[in-house]
Amino acid sequence: MRRKSGFSFGLFYFLVVAFILFLPILLLVVFSFNDSTKLVFPLKGFTTQHYADLVGNREMVEAVRTSVLLGLGSSFLATALGTMGAIALSRFKFPGKGFFTAVSALPLVIPYVILGVSLLIMFNQVGIKLSAWTAGLAHVVISIPYALLIISSRLAGFPDNLEEAAMDLGATYWGALLRVTIPISFPALVAAFLICFTISFDEFAISSFLVGTQPTLPVYLYSQLRFPTRLPLVVSLSSILMVATMIIMLLAEWLRRLGDTTR
Amino acid sequence: MEKQNRLAVLLGPPGLYLLILFLLPLGIMAVFSFRAGTIGDARFIYTLDNYREFLTKTSFHRLLLISARIALTIASLSVILAYPLAYYLTFRAGSRRVILLTMLIVPTWTSYLLRIFAWKLILGSTGLLNTFLLWIGAIEQANPILLYSRNAVVITLLYVWVPFVALPIFAALERIDPSLLEAAADLGSRPWETFLRITLPLSLPGVMAGFFFALIPTLGEYVTPLLVGGGQGAMYGNLIQDQFVRALNWPMGSVMSLAMLVLAIPLLFLFTKAGGSDLVEF
């Protein structure tokens, strides 16, 4: 295969697309330092005032707290359920396996509005009061496929006779899982946890139906987007979040790769 | 027997969770769609009236069709725009591959809501695009050329989907055995012939996975139209959201959701058949 290393039309196209992908993000960061309450050109001057204003904002701090707790809870549950499902799928043969695989992958693509309103109806009918936690239950549903995919691919990377060896040496099946399988797949578990966390932390379409009076951060941000005077605040907060998310995802990606290379 | 117990313990919790919080709500929604109302005695009356009303409201059908067309447009254009990216990464990027792949993925890690919102700053009347066009003298005065229209929705959603569609195509291209391409070249095949007869067919699973991965969620999209679409750019998802948030006609909203689900089920089936979930990375 011919591999060009110089400049080419392909590279040019790639860089143009990458530039467009980064443009809106850069724009938000630029405006977060702009000394004006309006998000319009031309830029006025440099300030860090918008960032200083963030700290005193009670509602926002509360929304961040809600989202962090929700993210931790829902990704812990999703990772645990995903691990169980991944072990079942990669180590067992059973009738209905195809059906289980299909159902667990569907939350990847099902329109979120449908998921949101169907859960809204169910919680309402059963009499469960809406709160951040009802949104969290939905976050677990959409996170499971990601956890399942990441952990399955790690489990496929080493043979199940390691578990058998542990059992030959006297471990029970569950002991072998806890002391052999889980430790070997640990980087993948952490990667899955981090990715599920960012999914929950970023989720708006479902949460907006289910949070009741406890806004998560995206729901809070959305409510602020209609007040023009609040926009600089939103923009500076979003810049911080983007940097935080990037750090978390780079960590997750690094852990996922770490798991892959020890194959 | 022992093995079955182990399987039951492992499969039980995730299976039950998805059953209770994913499949059951869809079932309850289906029952709910037959209700005459949500308050008073109407709660206990089951009727086909919602369905009759839905079938007679042509405005609903029109918006559903428009949304389906937008979703098809976005999924197709995403594939067309993403394919060269994936192709370049696989076959031409050489030592630049890792850095270029990272450049493609990193922007998708930032908040979805804010990335969409940022497009307002680009497309608005005092936005980047207008400022730029004024500056180079292409236009005389600022106007919101694109914001609050269906085009704004399409542009923004394309922006969202292109990197996600590129990944499964990239994964599929990477699985192609290079010796097949060498063999084709040795046998005198021209680059274009090799592409059309070997590379493209072998990458089709990735293309299909990416296509459906963008198509199905876009069908029910309501957040992007809310932010950049305005009244002109509303999609079917907004209609559903309205029934639950503003009109408070939940049974009608259920009928509308089910109508969309019926449209989506064959697509969901194709997505799982294409082995979509295997190829979807992030």
Side-chain angles (χ1 to χ4, degrees), chain A residues 13 110 198:
Chain A
Y13 175 69
I110 193 153
T198 59

Side-chain angles (χ1 to χ4, degrees), chain A residues 5 13 21 137 205 208 238 245, chain B residues 17 81 96 109 114 126 159 222:
Chain A
S5 54
Y13 175 69
L21 290 177
L137 290 173
S208 79
S238 61
T245 321
Chain B
Y17 195 95
L81 291 171
R96 298 194 189 101
W109 293 345
L114 294 165
T126 49
Y159 168 81
Y222 76 92

Side-chain angles (χ1 to χ4, degrees), chain A:
Chain A
M1 201 64 221
R2 191 168 49 118
R3 280 174 199 272
K4 276 190 199 164
S5 54
F7 198 80
S8 65
F9 181 74
L11 182 61
F12 176 73
Y13 175 69
F14 201 103
L15 292 176
V16 168
V17 172
F19 172 74
I20 295 172
L21 290 177
F22 276 97
L23 183 67
I25 299 166
L26 285 177
L27 211 55
L28 286 179
V29 176
V30 167
F31 275 120
S32 77
F33 289 108
N34 184 29
D35 193 6
S36 163
T37 52
K38 287 190 186 138
L39 305 186
V40 295
F41 289 99
L43 299 171
K44 293 275 194 287
F46 181 84
T47 178
T48 53
Q49 185 57 41
H50 303 317
Y51 286 91
D53 289 344
L54 280 181
V55 186
N57 189 324
R58 266 277 172 76
E59 281 179 324
M60 199 208 64
V61 173
E62 186 57 33
V64 171
R65 212 179 71 97
T66 306
S67 271
V68 169
L69 287 177
L70 206 63
L72 291 176
S74 69
S75 35
F76 183 79
L77 192 53
T79 307
L81 295 173
T83 309
M84 292 177 178
I87 295 174
L89 284 178
S90 52
R91 296 290 192 256
F92 291 86
K93 286 199 180 102
F94 55 92
K97 191 170 175 173
F99 179 74
F100 179 76
T101 314
V103 168
S104 60
L106 284 188
L108 276 178
V109 287
I110 193 153
Y112 281 179
V113 67
I114 292 186
L115 211 55
V117 301
S118 66
L119 280 165
L120 176 65
I121 292 172
M122 184 174 84
F123 290 138
N124 181 273
Q125 292 302 297
V126 182
I128 295 173
K129 202 166 163 278
L130 294 181
S131 72
W133 297 109
T134 46
L137 290 173
H139 291 176
V140 176
V141 174
I142 56 167
S143 299
I144 284 176
Y146 290 95
L148 206 60
L149 287 173
I150 296 166
I151 298 164
S152 294
S153 79
R154 177 75 194 116
L155 287 175
F158 65 94
D160 56 356
N161 54 25
L162 282 180
E163 286 144 31
E164 280 161 25
M167 285 160 74
D168 285 345
L169 295 170
T172 62
Y173 177 69
W174 305 108
L177 281 191
L178 274 182
R179 298 169 81 172
V180 178
T181 314
I182 303 285
I184 293 181
S185 11
F186 200 69
L189 297 191
V190 179
F193 180 85
L194 293 175
I195 284 167
C196 294
F197 181 85
T198 59
I199 289 170
S200 163
F201 200 74
D202 192 29
E203 207 292 314
F204 171 75
I206 301 175
S207 303
S208 79
F209 290 106
L210 299 177
V211 291
T213 53
Q214 276 183 293
T216 58
L217 190 60
V219 175
Y220 174 76
L221 283 180
Y222 180 78
S223 72
Q224 299 300 299
L225 289 179
R226 14 180 132 164
F227 307 113
T229 54
R230 293 296 193 91
L231 287 180
L233 195 87
V234 171
V235 169
S236 50
L237 178 68
S238 61
S239 305
I240 294 177
L241 288 180
M242 287 189 292
V243 174
T245 321
M246 277 188 199
I247 292 171
I248 293 178
M249 290 298 283
L250 278 172
L251 193 65
E253 198 51 30
W254 179 70
L255 283 166
R256 211 163 63 92
R257 295 266 160 82
L258 193 74
D260 275 356
T261 48
T262 48
R263 228 175 246 186

